[in-house]
Amino acid sequence: MKIAFTTTTHFEHPAEEVWAMLTAWTRLPEWMPGVIAASGPPTPSVSGELRLSTSRGERVSVITDCDVDRLITFRSTSGPVTADYRYDIAEQREGRTDVTLTGRCDVSGPLALAAPLIRRTLRRTDGGQLVELRTVMDADAS
């Protein structure tokens, strides 16, 4: 899969807190663009399903990689478009954490010609997720 975007954001929160917010499914609408409601497994694990309600309908993402407090990858497929969003969490020192989001995307069939445009759209739409996540976490902490 080709990379659509990669972004890293610094958090003044421990890795465990970042992980807890990242996997607090019902709070995803607070920081994930376009999501109205979300639900997922009580404990994130590989093959678990994340159900998202958006203005365009329902979407299911499957957890394809998971290491508690360190990383989680979601795969979504919509027709000929498959996207992986991987969140890597790295505690830098006590109470400070870096999170990197890498969005990857493949497009098959005739729509493959539009793959560069689709990747740019993903970058524009979702490239700010981590900044929004940090904003929500900072507001909760104050």
Side-chain angles (χ1 to χ4, degrees), residues 47-62:
S47 298
E49 290 186 349
L50 177 62
R51 298 188 175 281
L52 304 170
S53 296
T54 71
S55 58
R56 295 182 182 182
E58 300 295 314
R59 183 174 67 189
V60 175
S61 294
V62 177

Side-chain angles (χ1 to χ4, degrees), residues 7-45:
T7 182
T8 300
T9 301
H10 309 285
F11 290 74
E12 295 293 330
H13 303 276
E16 302 82 32
E17 287 181 16
V18 175
W19 174 264
M21 180 58 100
L22 189 62
T23 58
W25 312 126
T26 58
R27 295 201 65 190
L28 291 184
E30 295 177 49
W31 58 269
M32 192 174 278
V35 175
I36 298 167
S39 64
T43 304
S45 61

Side-chain angles (χ1 to χ4, degrees), residues 27-104:
R27 295 201 65 190
L28 291 184
E30 295 177 49
W31 58 269
M32 192 174 278
V35 175
I36 298 167
S39 64
T43 304
S45 61
V46 172
S47 298
E49 290 186 349
L50 177 62
R51 298 188 175 281
L52 304 170
S53 296
T54 71
S55 58
R56 295 182 182 182
E58 300 295 314
R59 183 174 67 189
V60 175
S61 294
V62 177
I63 299 170
T64 59
D65 197 3
C66 182
D67 186 356
V68 175
D69 292 338
R70 296 194 51 226
L71 71 91
I72 192 164
T73 304
F74 300 102
R75 173 166 289 170
S76 300
T77 302
S78 179
V81 180
T82 300
D84 280 359
Y85 279 43
R86 178 181 170 120
Y87 299 83
D88 286 287
I89 301 168
E91 192 156 44
Q92 299 304 310
R93 61 181 176 179
E94 181 122 0
R96 296 196 70 191
T97 304
D98 287 345
V99 181
T100 299
L101 169 57
T102 302
R104 295 177 180 270

